[in-house]
Amino acid sequence: MTVLEKTLKTLKKNQVLATFMREFVPNGTECGFLRDYNEYCFLIDRVSTHGLYDGIFIFQRPQLTRVRWGSTLLNSTTELYKRKNKKISRPKISIDNMKSALKDIQKAYGYVCVSIDDLDSEALIIGEIESLDDTHMLLYEFSGKTAK
């Protein structure tokens, strides 16, 4: 088992708040708890700097460049999180492939929010999935916005 695999296993098992960095993606830093991962991607329960649950975030495994945990800021944010988020519903999200993840997110929340980093790292597309296959998605778009 590699150092990375051991670290990921520990972060997931102990639910340690961490910062996941994707340095080749503009605005590519996410703070949260590692809910699940596989050889293809990561599923993070995002946490805001104010300690509030901020939804889920899925990204491709090759994008990960660094992980940080255990800092004073992250430890303080963890304490805020514990106090403010007593009854957070976390539906089952399969990350076997992106298609199943998107279907599960749509089913759980009624919509998806998609960021296509390769085209425009600041654009978010929010809407309902009309149709989905292995390579394309038809989305009834509610709105788009600039990230962060």
Side-chain angles (χ1 to χ4, degrees):
M1 188 179 290
T2 67
V3 171
L4 177 60
E5 287 301 319
K6 288 179 188 175
T7 302
L8 294 172
K9 186 176 179 180
T10 300
L11 292 174
K12 179 182 174 183
K13 180 182 175 191
N14 298 332
Q15 283 300 279
V16 176
L17 186 64
T19 303
F20 299 86
M21 288 164 250
R22 302 173 304 136
E23 294 169 308
F24 302 112
V25 176
N27 302 315
T29 300
E30 300 297 332
C31 179
F33 297 99
L34 180 59
R35 188 193 310 182
D36 203 3
Y37 66 96
N38 59 27
E39 65 272 20
Y40 305 112
C41 63
F42 296 99
L43 171 60
I44 308 296
D45 282 321
R46 291 179 60 193
V47 176
S48 75
T49 55
H50 302 292
L52 297 172
Y53 177 73
D54 195 20
I56 61 171
F57 187 76
I58 299 173
F59 65 98
Q60 297 172 338
R61 191 167 178 141
Q63 292 179 332
L64 183 70
T65 55
R66 288 189 293 152
V67 180
R68 286 188 179 160
W69 68 96
S71 70
T72 302
L73 178 61
L74 288 171
N75 291 338
S76 297
T77 305
T78 299
E79 290 306 312
L80 286 172
Y81 179 84
K82 288 177 184 176
R83 293 176 189 197
K84 294 181 177 184
N85 300 281
K86 299 289 184 196
K87 296 180 182 177
I88 301 296
S89 173
R90 290 182 180 79
K92 175 80 173 122
I93 307 292
S94 170
I95 57 169
D96 293 337
N97 56 59
M98 196 55 72
K99 181 179 176 182
S100 61
L102 287 166
K103 281 184 173 183
D104 287 349
I105 293 166
Q106 170 78 28
K107 183 178 177 184
Y109 298 104
Y111 66 93
V112 296
C113 179
V114 179
S115 171
I116 306 170
D117 294 326
D118 293 343
L119 299 176
D120 181 353
S121 66
E122 297 200 6
L124 297 176
I125 304 164
I126 303 165
E128 291 179 357
I129 298 172
E130 295 277 327
S131 182
L132 181 66
D133 63 25
D134 291 336
T135 58
H136 293 84
M137 173 173 52
L138 178 61
L139 192 70
Y140 176 70
E141 185 177 342
F142 299 153
S143 70
K145 71 172 195 153
T146 301
K148 302 184 186 197

